[in-house]
Amino acid sequence: MRVRRVAKRISECLLETVGEAVAEVILTLLACTLLAGLVLIVYLSWSSSPRLTVAGAGLFSLFLAHGAWKIFRDPAKSRGHRGLAAATTTGFTLTAATAVFLLLYGAGCGCV
């Protein structure tokens, strides 16, 4: 009886360790793919039109700044422009989550 319990615990531990290693590899590959895609987008955009790339980056920065401002400010009493606020807040949240993901898993990418 004891041998079976010990063997079962060891197999569960090994299965968990292998699962975590596989998940780490998958997340690192996903981060490398995402980083390579972002670099490719910037490269193609810059080679097409540097002025439009800078203008687009500026507009995207304003979009993210508005989203951050809506998240971190005190709640307003007016209810105007709720659609824009929702869009910019969602965009800021997704961009921040992507940045944290790339910071944690993109650092292990050998391409950087």
Side-chain angles (χ1 to χ4, degrees), residues 2-15:
R2 287 184 183 177
V3 174
R4 287 184 183 174
R5 259 189 286 171
V6 170
K8 186 176 180 180
R9 288 182 184 167
I10 289 174
S11 67
E12 287 175 358
C13 181
L14 285 174
L15 186 63

Side-chain angles (χ1 to χ4, degrees), residues 34-101:
L34 180 62
L35 190 60
L38 290 173
V39 168
L40 180 66
I41 288 170
V42 169
Y43 173 74
L44 292 175
S45 176
W46 186 263
S47 64
S48 173
S49 174
R51 288 182 183 168
L52 285 178
T53 302
V54 172
L59 286 175
F60 188 65
S61 297
L62 286 175
F63 178 79
L64 293 178
H66 186 263
W69 178 65
K70 287 290 186 181
I71 285 177
F72 295 117
R73 72 179 178 93
D74 292 333
K77 294 180 182 177
S78 67
R79 294 186 178 234
H81 306 290
R82 293 178 84 182
L84 177 65
T88 58
T89 301
T90 303
F92 175 75
T93 304
L94 289 174
T95 304
T98 303
V100 169
F101 174 73

